[in-house]
Amino acid sequence: MAEALNEMQALGQAKVGIYAGYFNWKSYLEGHTDTWPGNTKIWLARYNTTLGTNADVWQYTETGTIDGITGHFDLDISYDPDF
């Protein structure tokens, strides 16, 4: 993962990030961020009443609704105004 993030940044991407489900984050990614670019953004999906960890964006549901629009939507909370 670090190689891909570092390569994207080396190729000129000012912002790089990871989107993951909470289980995959906790099981495979969280403990390996020391080699990632320092400005890597974290966007986690966890359909729960609390996120339970630090992230830049929390996708808290996949069944959200928006008045006037038919269907379900992913809804998120951003904790980072620059995301």
Side-chain angles (χ1 to χ4, degrees):
M1 184 61 56
E3 292 171 4
L5 293 168
N6 285 308
E7 182 66 15
M8 286 188 295
Q9 195 167 52
L11 291 170
Q13 294 300 313
K15 296 180 182 180
V16 295
I18 294 293
Y19 171 84
Y22 183 79
F23 175 81
N24 288 329
W25 172 254
K26 295 301 271 184
S27 299
Y28 306 111
L29 299 169
E30 183 178 43
H32 304 283
T33 61
D34 55 328
T35 58
W36 296 6
N39 62 343
T40 300
K41 303 296 184 182
I42 309 299
W43 182 358
L44 297 180
R46 185 177 194 200
Y47 309 140
N48 201 331
T49 57
T50 62
L51 177 55
T53 191
N54 292 326
D56 297 292
V57 176
W58 171 26
Q59 181 179 317
Y60 63 91
T61 187
E62 64 183 350
T63 58
T65 59
I66 300 173
D67 290 341
I69 303 175
T70 303
H72 292 113
F73 301 90
D74 297 341
L75 298 179
D76 307 271
I77 296 172
S78 176
Y79 301 106
D80 181 344
D82 295 326
F83 193 87

